[in-house]
Amino acid sequence: MAIGMNRSSFGRNSTSHNRAAKAGVFLCALALGVSVSLAWTPSVPDTILLPDSLGPLRPGYHLAFGSSTDNIYVASESSDVMVVDGNQWGTFQRIKRIYTNAGIGGALLVAEHNKLYCTYPSRGRIGIIDCVTNDTVGSIPVSTRPKLLCYSSVSDKLYCCDSVNRRLWVIDCASDTVRKVISTASSPVDMVYDPTTNRAYVATLGAVLAISCVTDSVVASIDRAKSSRGLCLNKRRQKLYVPGSRYADPETIYVVSTQTYAVTPMTTATRGIIPLLACNEATDRLYYSAYGCEGVEVYDCVGDTYVDYERTPWYEAEAIACDTLHNRLFRLSENHLSIYDCVTFDAVARHSVGMSDPYPVLELDPARYRVMSANWSPVGGAGKLRVFDYKHDTTYRRGITPLCGWTGKMCRNPATGRLYCGWGGGAAVVDEQTNRVVKHAYGVSGNMVHSRASDKFYSSSSYGLFGEKSGLGVVDGPTDSLIKIVGLGDDRWQLFPSWCPIGNKVYCFASRGARLFMAAVSCSTDSVVWERDMYDLGRWFRYLDNGLMLCNHSDSLALIDPRTDSVLVDSSLAAGGIYAVTHTRDG
């Protein structure tokens, strides 16, 4: 995102008026003893580039991590890679942006060489990034439009699929050179690697291909399953689960033997738009859900039979993943991350993530007891990476990193000469002298207000295991760090704070259960000093020049005296809401 600040410009008027204006400028210049050019050129707006702006993310291909580094890499379909500090005791803040100057089709971290491989579909190349220096160290020319990647740990080879020229490129990771090119006959749509057989399985529009990573050749073509996305392996049972095509056979899961390539169809109980599969090899359970389904189907992997349908709350599933090591199933719905025990299917934890965008990325890192979720919204382009810890059957947010979408209001600190551009989980701190982002302030949202008397910022902030509590986040102006959360209620979106210089207070709305109320928080003590019940939802507060606070809640206006925190007037004015209000300075 770029913030443009245009300087003033002249309008076009009559010829005589323009002539008089120019004469006035010329005479003024003579009086001052300076020369003035009569020609005017529009000034170029100053632009502040916010570095955490990324384009669309795609599930399964744009979130990379590995055992060789603590960093988390988030790649964008438009261009560039964001490097996030994923250290156990780290801040999970962005530590670098790697400029690729090209959109990324897929990203894969190969821990054996501590390198990140990225496909550049518009350039026909695979970029290589050193995960120690986080610098681009080379690229490999491959094909017309490379996208999918998978790695053979047994053969130390990288496999790259091209969706246009229908080829599979085999890369030697030791030398980063092309060893062979394999024809796939049809456009690839998904790929997975099986270490037990050392084969890669490529789902194309016409069949599922089994590729030997020893001979780098097609050893089987399974044409019964076509156009399949979301391949899922059970290595223990030597089975590959292939969802049916969303158009031809959306209610079918094909079970493929990785030994004989025999295919057995399995009919699902529910039907959704995009099938989601996850497998627990320890309990031999396959979990199926789909975008459009509110539950999870459970299948026995031994006999491939239907076991149960577990109706789950919190809307339809958008992503599921399974931690076989710790017997945990993760389900990401419209706005909640839920964790289930794979044996009892009891919900052991749940966390509100406030994520309403379809097709988010959900990845597990069982070795670190870490679940990561990243999303990007086509509306406004907002996106963020959330990292949760689930070691003790609880989830708590380890960190949140802005990826894109600086859509919040801007706020300025005149004491430090810094500008704050907010988003849903923090703010970019911009130095007005250099117009550069110098820091990220976390724990606050885009609706920030500044107390000039205390040099502190206030905005909505949530806390609690499931994000069920909310309050005012207090950010220290000199250090740009969160120092306190003033508890208010349970609905973070009803705050809308406004600063009042009289009494140095912040007025806001809040709710607690069914109760709606307005509150005043002292900026000196950062504590609630006044509350008053309301009968409808709050919209905004505004400080008036005559020393009063104006409050708009639904179709009513209230006038508050901040000296006594008393409501002078509270009357309904317009059914259906008030859309515009202005105030004359004479009161």
Side-chain angles (χ1 to χ4, degrees):
M1 170 184 172
I3 306 172
M5 296 176 285
N6 291 312
R7 300 176 177 87
S8 61
S9 59
F10 298 103
R12 294 180 179 268
N13 296 307
S14 64
T15 304
S16 60
H17 184 79
N18 285 341
R19 194 179 298 119
K22 291 179 180 178
V25 171
F26 181 69
L27 292 174
C28 180
L30 289 179
L32 295 175
V34 296
S35 61
V36 177
S37 172
L38 297 181
W40 177 79
T41 302
S43 59
V44 178
D46 195 7
T47 301
I48 302 173
L49 297 178
L50 298 178
D52 284 335
S53 299
L54 288 181
L57 311 173
R58 297 301 180 201
Y61 308 127
H62 283 165
L63 190 60
F65 58 94
S67 59
S68 59
T69 177
D70 286 324
N71 293 336
I72 302 170
Y73 296 87
V74 186
S76 167
E77 193 178 62
S78 58
S79 72
D80 302 343
V81 177
M82 201 74 74
V83 187
V84 178
D85 175 20
N87 187 279
Q88 181 180 359
W89 311 111
T91 59
F92 291 93
Q93 294 191 30
R94 178 189 60 84
I95 58 178
K96 189 174 183 179
R97 183 184 185 117
I98 304 173
Y99 294 94
T100 61
N101 298 317
I104 298 173
L108 179 67
L109 196 154
V110 176
E112 284 77 357
H113 299 276
N114 202 18
K115 290 187 291 190
L116 181 72
Y117 292 90
C118 301
T119 56
Y120 304 145
S122 62
R123 293 188 170 187
R125 307 180 76 87
I126 301 175
I128 308 169
I129 295 173
D130 186 338
C131 295
V132 176
T133 62
N134 290 320
D135 292 326
T136 299
V137 294
S139 66
I140 307 168
V142 283
S143 57
T144 307
R145 197 167 181 81
K147 279 197 172 183
L148 304 177
L149 293 171
C150 80
Y151 173 70
S152 167
S153 55
V154 177
S155 300
D156 194 22
K157 298 174 188 174
L158 184 73
Y159 293 83
C160 175
C161 282
D162 188 293
S163 58
V164 174
N165 66 12
R166 303 169 184 177
R167 297 288 188 272
L168 178 68
W169 297 71
V170 185
I171 311 295
D172 186 337
C173 291
S175 60
D176 288 330
T177 56
V178 177
R179 293 189 56 171
K180 192 174 182 180
V181 181
I182 305 170
S183 173
T184 60
S186 184
S187 297
V189 294
D190 200 3
M191 186 163 48
V192 68
Y193 172 69
D194 182 6
T196 57
T197 60
N198 195 23
R199 297 192 192 109
Y201 293 90
V202 181
T204 72
L205 296 179
V208 174
L209 305 180
I211 310 292
S212 169
C213 297
V214 177
T215 62
D216 293 326
S217 59
V218 178
V219 294
S221 179
I222 308 160
D223 56 6
R224 193 168 181 181
K226 304 176 182 180
S227 303
S228 300
R229 288 177 171 86
L231 303 179
C232 183
L233 272 169
N234 185 331
K235 298 184 291 296
R236 178 186 178 190
R237 293 295 170 185
Q238 298 181 327
K239 293 179 180 180
L240 173 68
Y241 292 92
V242 183
S245 168
R246 59 182 295 185
Y247 303 107
D249 45 2
E251 299 178 358
T252 304
I253 301 175
Y254 294 100
V255 187
V256 180
S257 168
T258 58
Q259 295 298 309
T260 64
Y261 306 115
V263 181
T264 304
M266 187 167 57
T267 304
T268 63
T270 58
R271 177 176 180 176
I273 301 175
I274 300 176
L276 306 170
L277 295 179
C279 184
N280 187 334
E281 298 179 358
T283 57
D284 276 325
R285 289 292 183 266
L286 177 73
Y287 300 96
Y288 165 84
S289 189
Y291 188 75
C293 301
E294 295 184 0
V296 176
E297 297 179 25
V298 185
Y299 293 87
D300 180 13
C301 293
V302 177
D304 296 318
T305 54
Y306 174 84
V307 176
D308 195 10
Y309 177 78
E310 297 288 347
R311 186 175 180 85
T312 54
W314 311 111
Y315 308 101
E316 57 198 17
E318 294 179 336
I320 61 174
C322 193
D323 178 0
T324 297
L325 185 63
H326 303 107
N327 271 330
R328 293 294 179 260
L329 177 70
F330 297 80
R331 179 182 183 271
L332 186 63
S333 67
E334 182 177 346
N335 56 5
H336 283 82
L337 173 67
S338 303
I339 305 179
Y340 298 90
D341 187 309
C342 288
V343 177
T344 63
F345 213 82
D346 293 331
V348 296
R350 185 169 56 248
H351 199 113
S352 173
V353 296
M355 187 177 297
S356 59
D357 305 308
Y359 322 135
V361 180
L362 183 68
E363 294 285 349
L364 302 182
D365 188 357
R368 297 181 176 94
Y369 288 93
R370 192 164 65 186
V371 55
M372 292 162 283
S373 177
N375 79 311
W376 177 86
S377 170
V379 180
K384 55 187 71 72
L385 167 69
R386 290 180 173 92
V387 183
F388 297 91
D389 184 290
Y390 61 94
K391 186 172 185 178
H392 302 291
D393 277 345
T394 59
T395 60
Y396 67 92
R397 192 166 63 192
R398 295 292 305 275
I400 182 168
T401 302
L403 300 177
C404 48
W406 300 91
T407 56
K409 293 166 58 178
M410 288 186 289
C411 188
R412 184 174 180 269
N413 187 345
T416 60
R418 290 183 172 183
L419 180 71
Y420 298 79
C421 183
W423 65 292
V429 186
V430 178
D431 187 331
E432 292 181 331
Q433 296 298 318
T434 62
N435 284 343
R436 301 292 183 186
V437 176
V438 294
K439 188 176 181 179
H440 296 135
Y442 291 87
V444 292
S445 73
N447 292 319
M448 300 176 66
V449 294
H450 180 240
S451 167
R452 293 192 296 271
S454 301
D455 195 9
K456 289 184 284 191
F457 291 89
Y458 296 83
S459 78
S460 60
S461 185
S462 65
Y463 62 99
L465 181 60
F466 304 135
E468 69 278 8
K469 299 295 183 181
S470 69
L472 279 179
V474 185
V475 175
D476 179 55
T479 62
D480 297 319
S481 57
L482 184 69
I483 56 177
K484 187 177 181 179
I485 296 180
V486 183
L488 279 171
D490 51 22
D491 191 345
R492 63 179 299 189
W493 305 116
Q494 286 301 319
L495 290 169
F496 304 115
S498 179
W499 181 65
C500 177
I502 297 179
N504 189 24
K505 290 180 285 190
V506 169
Y507 287 83
C508 61
F509 302 105
S511 64
R512 188 176 294 116
R515 181 195 175 206
L516 304 174
F517 61 97
M518 60 181 75
V521 174
S522 169
C523 298
S524 301
T525 61
D526 293 327
S527 59
V528 179
V529 294
W530 174 74
E531 291 184 2
R532 184 179 188 270
D533 288 345
M534 299 187 306
Y535 54 85
D536 51 16
L537 297 177
R539 295 182 183 270
W540 48 257
F541 282 94
R542 185 179 301 168
Y543 176 69
L544 305 180
D545 293 328
N546 60 0
L548 300 178
M549 290 294 294
L550 185 65
C551 167
N552 173 209
H553 55 113
S554 191
D555 58 354
S556 300
L557 283 179
L559 204 58
I560 303 172
D561 186 346
R563 298 169 183 84
T564 59
D565 284 326
S566 56
V567 178
L568 305 179
V569 180
D570 190 356
S571 61
S572 178
L573 297 181
I578 299 169
Y579 294 93
V581 175
T582 190
H583 171 247
T584 59
R585 298 199 174 193
D586 59 359

